[in-house]
């Protein structure tokens, strides 16, 4: 029997427009929120997996028409969506994940009940959900470390936090290349995979 | 952390939807009413889904008032990490294997997936639940609906039972009537007035023993064979000989069902123990005056130095065993088999050696038993004063156990009987000591049993005096079942004591006549073993955690234990000396007492973990091969038993070869032997000794005469029937008609006969003497032109020899080819001393400089040709064929291919300088490999 092959896309949603987003920086003058924290904002409460699915479906239909939406519809599923961290894992069939990726890349605005400008980053494509979960964990650890470092450098009042999360941070040590707090999204592995799929 | 949705609790429960045994029928969700599907199935699916969902946090809970700050940012990430990690864990568990799949390999049992009881206890509840979910509950044999044949059988049984009951009732009726009439009036019917003692049957000597009558239930299965005492244990766990094809008239375990090639090697060399039920080995007892027994032994070829020499004093005293080759008395003095001989210690008072009446055991392989038995009978008739010969085949069983844990396991199973009941201990021992020269001054303080218990911590019986022997009585092992790990040596002082014991070996002085030589003791031990029920009752009465107390009335099981070391005196290669000195224990016990001992041995928890393994025939051969020792009968084709084994092997290999379609089997007629020759030498699936002997380049008169003799001989009818037809076909298939017509004529009658009479086998001792000095005195009867010597071959380059591989000497008539072969010798290669792979030049680093690369290029040009290249030397011609490999494989101990084979000693003797370098070519291939040989 042949196994049905999927691809799992690990997604970050970024909200570039500070005015319309839900998380506003703290207003107290002493609490300067570091850039890394501001960059990864939480999603609004109304945003959930269903909205994300709709966004993708509409985007694919717009870009690739009936053909694209037909190809993608059978296998598309949002496996995980966390509002607090704006992270999601989306499942598509292996043959058509590039359609979904394209739709995600071209998305500029969340659909209607939310209606907010956004940028969607695909940070990892993997064959098993396990690997994308591991990648999500790694990235979460990394961002915690960066946030803490940033907070420490600016007098931050997060003294109690280091104690709460050391065991989460200690295990992973490798660093993603960062430029101003933005990861290099083109992981070499992803590129390889792309090449494989085309070839 | 304030979770928005509570994290779902993990579910580790039973079978998931995907790995269930019984899948649901595909259902259409639209038409699937709530009643159609049992409730629990939905539960399973839900559980699965729940296990796969990850918990998430909403923004409002993570960030109070929507305010973005570092602490809540970090907390929200931490929550995510936790959730994802939980999810990973849970989905791993949800992927779950079924309970029986979690069991380690050695604990897996057949049909564990159907029967909860075959799963270890800790998994049983879970397995039961899984089976209930799958709707495949365990069915016990008792409650199973009988099907097919079984129903027919049961019906027959029912009918027979009814018939029997009817007949019995009819039979009883008239009998009652007559007896009441005949009996006197005052005696009530049914009461016995006088006890009539039956006469104890006289033991019939010089008669073949009959196998014990099995229980009625098992009788039909043992008509043409006998079961070993541990048959039931093995039948469940090993591949046995096919019911229609027993080996040596026994149902012998061939190999354990579990994979065991490497585990056996490890258990026997590094850690653990391997045990065999060797009850099929036959025992012959000789009883008579010592002088006449010695005379008999001399007649069947035991060396003079063993019979009267000083070195073998201890053997004659009965405190050592002796391994020797026995020969037929009549010319041509054929080798019968290697035999182990044990004297019983003399307990009587006669001081003159000639007058003593003594007993002796001869232990021989069953394949040679009958030959030896006949010989002994013939000799016993002419011996004066008379010697009685007794067949103890089904009276004495034996276990062999090897490996570092062997002594420990035996110690756990064999608890010496207390000596309290025998008060005349000291007086006995005083007499025993008299013949033993070296140890007579040793203060006699302990019995053999006590010494035995002090051997705890011994990892290799080869440490003890060679061929040491212990005879004592043990308690019923079931009283100490399940066995517990014994206390091992801890301090240096204790270790030292063990060394002292092995050096002084107090058993020599303390050993008295072992009860196993005594028929009555054997018999009483077998018959007085209490029932399992009685044993259980006693165990129940004992204090918790304690073994039951030994009682004076307990049966005393006589055992005889002797060690044999695998080290052969001829070992010369260094690697073997260091690795393969593993000794083994052989335990003799009464046939019926063997099973409880076996169980105690098998369930003994070794101090190094796990339990002793058991082996079959294949494991026996494997370990003999790894020790570099020939295995009787397979590696002695010059003996009758070995020849039969070879014929049997041929038949098996041939049928395997024939079974395959023409395109997928080796076509022996197309094998290129080099030098333009084509076609395998002789029959491809055989060690073709006939070809070796009879179609030499120079046809010898003697050999031809031999053939004619054989053609006249009428082989046994069934052999002829079996043998000729396949052989005929084989020859037709293989040979080009013109030159092989003659060969066909020669081979055909030979295959039908039991054994070419001129083929004989030399023992290692004789062969060594012969090879050391060509003029060595050999018994005059040995026909050197056709005598075989068993050797061990180690390949010098790559390759693994297989059984039936052809062995050639270096080409004698072609000096050019000979030079080519000698150039391949590793000792002649320029880069021999370099480290790394022994088969090729060591690999260069990637960034090697130019001059190094050039050097390598030059070196590789000088490199001798590799196998498969055009320049690789061709195989020598048939005139240089000297023998065949009988056992060959990759040797795990050596880490390379080795083999055991036999060579024609005549062609071996005039070797010259490189006399121990030979060429081995596997049957069906054209590629020769260099090998070095030594006498095994």
């Amino acid at each position: 029997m042949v196994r049905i092959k999927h691809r799992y896309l690990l997604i970050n949603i970024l909200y570039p427009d500070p005015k319309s987003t839900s998380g506003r920086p703290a207003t107290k003058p002493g609490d300067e929120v570091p850039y890394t924290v501001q960059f990864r904002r939480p999603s609004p409460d109304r945003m959930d997996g269903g909205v994300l699915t709709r966004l993708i479906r509409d985007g694919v239909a717009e870009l690739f028409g009936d053909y694209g939406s037909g190809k993608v519809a059978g296998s598309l599923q949002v496996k995980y969506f966390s509002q607090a961290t704006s992270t999601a894992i989306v499942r598509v069939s292996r043959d058509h994940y590039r359609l979904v990726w394209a739709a995600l890349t071209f998305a500029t605005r969340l659909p209607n009940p939310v209606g907010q400008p956004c940028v969607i980053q695909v940070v990892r494509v993997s064959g098993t959900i396990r690997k994308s979960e591991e990648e999500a964990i790694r990235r979460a650890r990394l961002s915690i470390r960066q946030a803490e470092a940033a907070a420490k450098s600016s007098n931050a009042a997060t003294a109690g936090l280091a104690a709460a999360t050391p065991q989460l941070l200690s295990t992973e040590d490798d660093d993603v290349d960062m430029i101003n707090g933005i990861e290099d999204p083109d992981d070499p592995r992803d590129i390889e995979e792309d090449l494989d799929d085309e070839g | 952390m304030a979770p928005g949705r509570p994290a779902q609790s993990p579910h580790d429960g039973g079978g998931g939807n995907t790995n269930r045994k019984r899948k649901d029928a595909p259902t259409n969700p639209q038409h699937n009413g709530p009643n159609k599907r049992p409730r629990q199935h939905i539960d399973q699916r839900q559980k699965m889904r729940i296990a796969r969902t990850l918990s998430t946090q909403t923004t409002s809970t993570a960030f109070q008032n929507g305010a973005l700050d570092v602490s809540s940012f970090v907390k929200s990430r931490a929550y995510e990490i936790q959730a994802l990690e939980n999810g990973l864990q849970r989905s791993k568990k949800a992927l779950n294997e079924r309970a029986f799949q979690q069991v380690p390999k050695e604990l897996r049992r057949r049909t564990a997936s159907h029967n909860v009881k075959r799963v270890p206890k800790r998994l049983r509840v879970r397995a039961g639940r899984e089976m209930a979910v799958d709707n495949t509950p365990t069915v016990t044999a008792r409650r199973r609906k009988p099907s097919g044949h079984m129903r027919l059988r049961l019906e027959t049984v029912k009918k027979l039972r009814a018939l029997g009951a009817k007949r019995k009732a009819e039979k009883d009726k008239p009998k009652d009537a007559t007896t009441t009439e005949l009996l006197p009036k005052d005696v009530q019917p049914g009461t016995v007035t006088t006890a009539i003692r039956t006469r104890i049957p006289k033991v019939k000597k010089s008669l073949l023993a009959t196998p014990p009558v099995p229980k009625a239930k098992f009788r039909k299965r043992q008509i043409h064979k006998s079961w070993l005492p541990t048959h039931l244990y093995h039948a469940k766990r090993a591949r046995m000989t096919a019911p229609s094809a027993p080996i040596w008239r026994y149902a012998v375990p061939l190999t354990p069902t579990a994979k065991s090639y490497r585990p056996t090697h490890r258990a026997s060399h590094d850690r653990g123990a391997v045990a065999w039920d060797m009850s099929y080995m036959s025992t012959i007892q000789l009883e008579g005056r010592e002088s006449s027994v010695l005379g008999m032994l001399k007649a069947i070829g035991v060396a003079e130095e063993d019979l009267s020499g000083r070195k073998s004093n201890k053997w004659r005293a009965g405190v050592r065993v002796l391994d020797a080759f026995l020969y037929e008395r009549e010319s041509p003095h054929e080798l019968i088999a290697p035999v182990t001989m044990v004297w019983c210690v003399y307990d009587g008072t006669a001081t003159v050696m000639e007058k003593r009446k003594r007993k002796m055991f001869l232990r021989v392989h069953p394949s040679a038993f009958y030959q030896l038995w006949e010989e002994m009978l013939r000799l016993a008739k002419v011996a004066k004063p008379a010697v009685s010969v007794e067949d103890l085949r089904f009276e004495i069983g034996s276990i062999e156990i090897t490996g570092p844990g062997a002594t420990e396991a035996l110690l756990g199973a064999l608890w010496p009987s207390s000596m309290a009941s025998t008060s005349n201990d000291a007086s006995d021992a005083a007499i025993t000591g008299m013949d033993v020269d070296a140890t007579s001054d040793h203060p006699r303080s302990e019995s053999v049993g006590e010494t035995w218990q002090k051997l705890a911590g011994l990892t290799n019986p080869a440490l003890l005096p060679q061929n040491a022997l212990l005879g004592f009585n043990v308690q019923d092992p079931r009283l100490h079942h399940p066995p517990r790990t014994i206390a091992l040596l801890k301090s240096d002082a204790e270790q030292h004591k063990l060394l002292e014991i092995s050096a002084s070996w107090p058993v020599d002085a303390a050993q008295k006549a072992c009860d196993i030589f005594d028929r009555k003791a054997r018999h009483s031990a077998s018959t007085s073993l209490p029932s399992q029920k009685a044993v259980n009752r006693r165990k129940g009465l004992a204090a918790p955690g304690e073994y039951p107390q030994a009682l004076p009335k307990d049966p005393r099981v006589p055992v005889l234990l002797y060690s044999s070391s695998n080290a052969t005196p001829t070992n010369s290669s260094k690697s073997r000396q260091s690795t393969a000195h593993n000794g083994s224990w052989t335990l003799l016990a009464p046939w019926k007492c063997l099973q409880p001992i076996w169980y105690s041995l098998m369930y003994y928890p070794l101090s190094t973990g796990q339990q002793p393994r058991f082996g079959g025939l294949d494991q026996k051969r494997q370990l003999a091969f790894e020790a570099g020792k020939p295995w009787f009968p397979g590696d002695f084709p010059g003996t009758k038993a070995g020849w039969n084994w070879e014929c049997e092997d041929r038949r098996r290999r041939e049928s395997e070869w024939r079974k395959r379609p023409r395109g997928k089997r080796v076509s022996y007629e197309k094998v290129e032997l080099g030098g333009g020759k084509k076609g395998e030498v002789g029959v491809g699936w055989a060690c073709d000794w006939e070809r070796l002997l009879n179609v030499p380049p120079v046809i010898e008169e003697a050999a031809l005469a031999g053939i004619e003799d054989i053609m006249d001989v009428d082989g046994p009818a069934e052999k002829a029937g079996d043998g000729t037809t396949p052989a005929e076909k084989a020859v037709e298939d293989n040979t080009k008609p013109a030159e092989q017509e003659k060969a066909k004529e020669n081979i055909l009658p030979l295959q039908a006969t039991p054994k070419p009479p001129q083929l004989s086998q030399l023992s290692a001792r004789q062969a060594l003497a012969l090879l050391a000095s060509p003029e060595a005195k050999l018994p005059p009867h040995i026909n050197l032109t056709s005598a075989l010597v068993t050797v061990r071959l180690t390949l010098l380059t790559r390759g693994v020899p297989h059984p039936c591989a052809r062995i050639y000497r270096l080409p004698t008539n072609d000096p050019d080819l000979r030079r080519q072969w000698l150039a391949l010798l590793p000792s002649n290669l320029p880069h021999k001393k370099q480290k790394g792979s022994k088969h090729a030049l060591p690999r260069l680093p990637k960034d090697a400089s130019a001059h190094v690369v050039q050097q390598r290029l030059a070196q590789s040009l000088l490199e001798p040709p590799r196998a498969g290249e055009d320049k690789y030397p061709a195989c020598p011609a048939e005139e240089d064929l000297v023998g065949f490999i009988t056992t060959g494989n990759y040797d795990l101990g050596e880490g390379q291919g080795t083999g055991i084979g036999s060579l024609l000693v005549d062609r071996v003797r005039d070797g010259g300088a490189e006399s121990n370098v030979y060429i081995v070519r596997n049957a069906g291939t054209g590629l020769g490999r260099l090998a070095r040989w030594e006498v095994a």
Side-chain angles (χ1 to χ4, degrees):
Chain A
M1 210 177 89
V2 182
R3 185 173 160 179
I4 301 167
K5 301 268 171 89
H6 290 299
R7 282 286 173 268
Y8 295 86
L9 312 183
L10 178 64
I11 291 168
N12 275 346
I13 306 178
L14 307 174
Y15 297 98
D17 184 11
K19 275 167 254 165
S20 56
T21 48
S22 53
R24 283 177 304 280
T27 44
K28 278 183 228 162
D31 274 1
E32 186 56 35
V33 176
Y35 180 69
T36 38
V37 175
Q38 284 192 39
F39 187 74
R40 297 181 180 77
R41 285 165 197 279
S43 303
D45 268 349
R46 275 166 300 175
M47 174 71 190
D48 60 3
V51 177
L52 184 61
T53 316
R54 192 139 48 83
L55 179 145
I56 296 170
R57 219 178 275 150
D58 293 349
V60 170
E62 190 186 345
L63 290 173
F64 303 104
D66 287 349
Y67 166 80
S69 50
K71 283 289 180 193
V72 159
S75 61
L76 184 69
Q77 194 181 5
V78 174
K79 279 293 194 185
Y80 172 72
F81 181 74
S82 155
Q83 290 166 330
T85 54
S86 305
T87 317
I89 297 174
V90 177
R91 189 196 72 181
V92 239
S93 74
R94 188 180 62 171
D95 298 333
H96 311 297
Y97 79 98
R98 292 168 66 81
L99 307 186
V100 173
W101 192 339
L104 286 168
T105 309
F106 281 117
T108 52
R109 205 178 175 78
L110 292 180
N112 223 350
V114 190
Q116 235 178 57
C118 72
V119 171
I120 301 181
Q121 262 187 321
V122 176
V123 291
R124 164 94 193 198
V125 178
S126 69
T128 58
I129 192 167
R130 186 191 170 79
K131 283 291 162 197
S132 51
E133 280 172 351
E134 279 169 4
E135 174 70 9
I137 291 173
R138 200 178 66 87
R139 281 172 182 276
R141 282 204 180 114
L142 208 66
S143 54
I144 289 178
R145 215 179 305 149
Q146 284 164 351
E148 275 177 347
K152 211 178 274 172
S153 65
S154 66
N155 65 357
T158 54
L161 276 177
T165 53
Q167 84 278 12
L168 293 174
L169 299 176
S170 56
T171 49
E172 202 93 1
D173 241 344
D174 56 331
D175 243 293
V176 172
D177 290 345
M178 291 283 203
I179 307 151
N180 288 338
I182 301 173
E183 299 107 346
D184 175 13
D186 281 339
D187 205 297
R189 275 168 296 181
D190 294 352
I191 294 167
E192 270 170 30
E193 197 156 22
D194 293 354
L195 291 176
D196 284 350
D197 274 79
E198 280 161 5
Chain B
M1 248 184 270
R5 253 182 276 159
Q8 313 289 357
S9 64
H11 295 273
D12 55 347
N17 191 35
T18 48
N19 58 357
R20 290 220 324 273
K21 229 173 11 178
R22 211 168 268 181
K23 305 272 191 244
D24 301 320
T27 45
N28 194 344
Q30 267 95 36
H31 302 291
N32 191 16
N35 302 335
K36 285 210 169 166
R37 191 178 276 237
R39 176 96 195 129
Q40 51 189 4
H41 283 222
I42 296 170
D43 281 349
Q44 279 304 312
R45 187 161 278 185
Q46 257 175 359
K47 272 182 189 171
M48 195 64 161
R49 197 172 298 142
I50 287 164
R52 292 263 160 88
T53 6
L54 303 166
S55 64
T56 49
Q57 243 181 341
T58 51
T59 310
S60 48
T61 47
F63 298 89
Q64 258 132 37
N65 308 325
L68 199 61
D69 62 57
V70 175
S71 75
S72 40
F73 175 85
V74 169
K75 272 182 186 166
S76 68
R77 303 282 145 164
Y79 182 86
E80 189 189 47
I81 291 173
Q82 209 93 60
L84 287 169
E85 278 182 343
N86 274 344
L88 282 174
Q89 282 273 306
R90 261 185 287 132
S91 59
K92 197 178 191 181
K93 273 190 183 155
L95 240 190
N96 56 23
E97 304 153 298
R98 295 168 58 87
F100 62 86
Q101 289 172 318
Q102 286 193 333
V103 184
K105 198 158 63 174
E106 63 269 16
L107 291 183
R108 301 233 171 123
R109 293 286 172 266
R110 215 181 119 251
T111 70
S113 53
H114 309 297
N115 191 346
V116 199
K117 286 180 185 160
R118 292 180 203 269
V119 177
K121 260 189 190 147
R122 71 187 158 84
L123 291 169
R124 209 164 283 171
V125 178
R126 207 187 120 184
R129 204 170 49 214
E130 283 172 1
M131 284 181 195
V133 165
D134 285 356
N135 197 18
T136 55
T138 302
V139 181
T140 55
R142 206 154 44 83
R143 269 173 260 143
R144 171 174 288 135
K145 193 181 156 208
S147 60
H149 260 92
M150 187 47 95
R151 203 176 60 233
L152 286 177
R153 271 176 81 171
L154 288 177
E155 272 170 14
T156 320
V157 167
K158 212 170 168 185
K159 273 182 210 158
L160 282 176
R161 232 179 238 154
L163 273 177
K166 209 168 151 193
R167 216 180 62 186
K168 207 178 170 195
E170 273 171 14
K171 215 167 139 193
D172 284 353
K173 253 186 215 164
K175 205 179 180 186
D176 282 348
T178 51
T179 41
T180 41
E181 279 166 25
L182 287 175
L183 278 173
K185 296 276 175 189
D186 51 1
V187 178
Q188 290 298 313
T191 57
V192 182
T193 46
T194 50
I196 301 163
R197 183 169 291 163
T198 50
R199 186 178 62 88
I200 297 165
K202 200 178 156 198
V203 181
K204 295 201 175 70
K205 310 215 163 152
S206 315
L207 271 185
L208 287 174
T210 48
V213 180
K215 278 183 192 162
K217 191 178 167 191
F218 301 132
R219 206 167 292 156
K220 229 172 146 186
R221 306 184 212 170
Q222 298 184 55
I223 293 173
H224 300 298
K225 58 182 174 289
S226 320
W227 284 358
L228 301 180
T230 58
H231 179 86
L232 289 187
Y233 179 93
H234 282 107
K236 289 175 187 171
R237 296 166 178 86
R239 281 204 296 112
M240 311 292 288
T241 50
S244 56
I247 303 186
W248 315 309
R249 299 181 71 90
Y250 288 97
V252 178
L254 295 176
T255 180
T257 325
K259 286 193 175 189
S260 54
Y261 192 81
R262 226 161 244 269
T264 302
H265 170 78
R266 289 204 187 109
S268 66
H269 287 80
D270 306 335
R271 163 181 4 178
V274 189
W276 292 269
D277 183 357
M278 301 281 286
S279 299
Y280 52 80
M281 291 295 272
S282 317
T283 310
I284 299 174
Q285 178 186 275
L286 305 181
E287 186 178 10
R289 293 277 175 80
E290 188 171 341
S291 54
S292 49
V293 174
L294 285 174
M296 274 174 79
L297 294 185
K298 189 180 174 187
I300 52 171
V302 179
E304 189 63 39
E305 64 204 63
D306 287 330
L307 293 174
S308 57
R310 203 178 132 68
K311 254 176 107 179
S312 55
N313 266 346
K314 287 192 177 161
W315 170 61
R316 287 197 305 278
V319 292
R320 294 281 188 280
V321 297
L322 178 74
D323 292 312
F325 286 95
L326 297 191
Y327 299 83
E328 278 182 357
R329 183 172 168 245
E330 307 284 323
S331 179
H333 302 280
E334 209 170 75
L335 179 65
I336 299 177
V339 172
T340 307
M341 289 174 277
V342 196
W343 281 105
C344 179
V345 171
Y346 183 63
D347 271 357
T349 48
T351 45
V352 185
M353 202 188 84
E354 269 65 44
K355 291 264 174 79
R356 293 177 184 174
K357 203 167 182 209
R358 293 185 66 177
K359 289 179 183 172
M360 168 188 242
F361 281 171
L362 297 177
R363 284 178 55 71
V364 65
H365 195 272
S367 59
F369 165 76
Y370 194 65
Q371 205 183 355
L372 182 66
W373 172 254
E374 296 267 272
E375 206 62 33
M376 296 318 281
L377 277 189
R378 216 172 294 147
L379 283 168
K381 266 180 203 151
V382 294
K384 263 180 204 162
V387 172
S388 70
V389 185
E390 204 176 329
D391 176 11
L392 298 183
R393 270 185 307 173
F394 300 103
E395 283 197 38
I396 292 181
S398 63
I399 291 174
E400 194 172 326
I401 179 164
T402 184
T407 317
E408 192 194 331
L410 277 174
L411 276 166
L414 303 179
W415 291 52
S417 300
S418 62
M419 281 301 165
S421 55
T422 52
S423 53
N424 54 350
D425 231 5
S427 60
D428 279 355
I431 301 160
T432 336
M434 100 195 124
D435 223 27
V436 185
D437 47 358
T439 53
S440 54
D441 55 339
H442 189 87
R444 229 273 322 150
S445 55
E446 56 191 17
S447 66
V448 178
E450 283 160 358
T451 313
W452 164 242
Q453 286 191 309
K454 284 184 185 165
L455 292 184
L458 184 74
T459 49
N460 189 355
L463 189 71
L464 302 180
Q466 209 183 3
N467 296 331
L469 168 157
L470 298 129
F472 53 99
N473 292 331
V474 298
Q475 303 175 30
D476 184 353
R478 289 174 300 170
L479 290 177
H480 308 290
H481 195 84
R484 295 178 203 149
T485 311
I486 56 166
L488 289 175
L489 305 185
K490 288 191 186 79
S491 64
D492 275 358
E494 281 173 310
Q495 203 81 43
H496 194 73
K497 220 174 237 169
L498 175 63
L499 278 179
E500 221 168 70
I501 287 177
S502 62
S504 62
W505 199 235
V507 174
D508 285 353
Q511 182 72 57
K512 50 198 194 64
C514 180
D515 278 349
I516 201 168
F517 288 92
D518 182 14
R519 183 187 189 83
K520 261 187 210 154
R522 285 196 306 260
H523 188 69
S524 75
S526 313
T527 51
S528 64
L529 280 183
S531 65
Q532 187 64 50
K533 208 172 170 186
V535 170
N536 288 349
R537 201 181 307 126
R538 259 178 85 182
K539 277 163 78 176
L541 288 176
E546 303 261 315
Y547 288 130
Q549 288 282 319
L551 300 176
K553 273 162 81 185
D554 276 347
R556 302 154 65 81
V557 179
V559 297
L560 181 71
L561 199 59
Y562 61 84
S563 73
S564 44
S565 68
N566 276 341
T568 46
T570 58
N571 267 350
S572 58
S573 68
K574 271 178 203 161
S575 57
R576 285 196 187 279
Q577 294 245 323
S578 58
T579 56
H581 265 219
N582 255 323
S584 66
W585 286 107
T586 306
L587 172 83
L588 307 192
W591 184 270
K592 288 200 172 132
C593 304
L594 202 77
Q595 197 217 29
I597 297 179
W598 176 260
Y599 274 95
S600 281
L601 213 54
M602 282 293 106
Y603 289 107
Y604 174 77
L606 289 167
S607 63
T608 49
Q610 297 194 324
Q611 293 155 357
R613 305 179 58 81
F614 74 96
L617 206 58
D618 292 356
Q619 278 65 39
K620 190 93 197 97
R621 299 183 66 185
Q622 179 197 345
L623 289 187
F625 161 72
E626 283 177 5
K629 281 175 75 177
W631 174 77
F632 186 86
D635 293 326
F636 291 89
T639 64
K640 214 175 192 173
W643 184 261
N644 287 342
W645 183 265
E646 158 70 18
C647 289
E648 206 53 49
D649 254 5
R650 263 182 212 182
R651 211 161 296 153
R652 186 180 51 74
R653 281 192 216 111
E654 188 193 350
S655 72
E656 261 164 34
W657 184 80
R658 275 190 199 291
K659 233 168 26 191
R660 307 180 71 91
R662 199 171 277 274
K664 289 190 177 170
R665 63 191 183 196
V666 179
S667 55
Y668 288 112
E669 71 270 26
K670 285 182 187 160
V671 175
E672 301 220 9
L673 297 182
K677 283 163 292 179
K678 231 180 171 191
E680 185 55 81
V681 180
V683 183
W685 52 78
C687 299
D688 209 340
W689 302 108
E690 302 93 324
R691 174 83 173 233
L692 184 63
L693 292 179
N694 291 304
V695 202
V698 187
I699 294 170
E700 289 155 25
E701 305 296 308
L704 276 182
I707 294 164
E708 270 147 29
D709 282 353
I710 297 153
M711 299 208 0
D712 292 340
V713 172
D714 292 338
E718 90 279 2
K719 278 243 158 91
D722 284 350
T724 28
T725 36
E728 212 162 22
K729 275 184 222 151
V731 171
E732 278 167 6
D733 268 9
N734 288 339
T735 49
K736 297 276 166 279
E739 77 248 33
Q740 304 242 348
E741 272 297 313
K742 215 165 92 188
K744 180 177 169 182
E745 279 174 15
N746 283 345
I747 288 167
L748 271 181
L750 281 178
Q751 282 221 333
T753 56
K755 178 167 112 52
Q758 73 271 38
L759 195 67
S760 63
Q761 190 94 28
L762 292 183
S763 67
R765 193 188 275 185
Q766 287 172 339
L768 279 176
L770 187 70
L771 293 172
S773 60
E775 284 81 36
K777 271 190 208 160
L778 275 186
H781 54 80
I782 290 180
N783 182 5
L784 274 184
T785 51
S786 59
L788 297 181
V789 52
T790 308
V791 297
R792 178 174 58 243
L793 290 109
T794 316
L795 294 202
L796 295 175
T797 53
R798 306 179 63 146
V800 172
H802 293 304
C804 295
R806 274 68 175 143
I807 307 173
Y808 296 88
R809 59 188 167 191
L810 289 172
T812 44
N813 295 341
D814 189 348
D816 194 38
L817 192 60
R818 189 187 174 92
R819 211 175 311 118
Q820 281 181 32
W821 273 110
L822 282 176
L824 287 181
L825 265 184
S827 55
N828 293 348
L829 297 186
H831 59 87
K832 186 210 162 196
K833 296 218 168 57
Q834 278 167 349
K835 285 255 173 181
S837 155
K838 70 171 181 177
H839 309 306
L841 292 169
R843 180 175 293 180
L844 281 182
K846 264 186 184 169
D847 51 349
S849 56
H851 78 276
V852 176
V853 174
Q854 270 194 338
Q855 214 175 359
R856 163 56 51 88
L857 182 65
Q859 241 176 5
S860 64
L861 290 177
L862 290 175
E863 174 89 331
R866 299 228 191 146
E869 287 175 9
D870 283 346
K871 281 188 293 175
Y872 195 77
C875 218
E878 197 184 337
E879 68 209 16
D880 290 318
L881 185 69
V882 288
F884 298 93
I885 294 251
T886 45
T887 310
N889 205 342
Y890 184 82
D891 186 340
L892 290 176
E894 295 278 293
Q896 61 178 5
T898 62
I900 288 178
S902 290
L903 307 178
L904 262 189
V905 78
D906 197 34
R907 300 199 190 173
V908 168
R909 282 205 292 171
D910 44 348
E914 296 291 349
S915 63
N916 63 351
V917 173
Y918 276 3
I919 296 157
V920 175
R921 178 179 63 80
N922 279 335
T925 64
L927 194 71
R929 300 280 191 183
L930 282 178
R932 207 176 278 280
W933 64 271
E934 53 194 344
V935 176

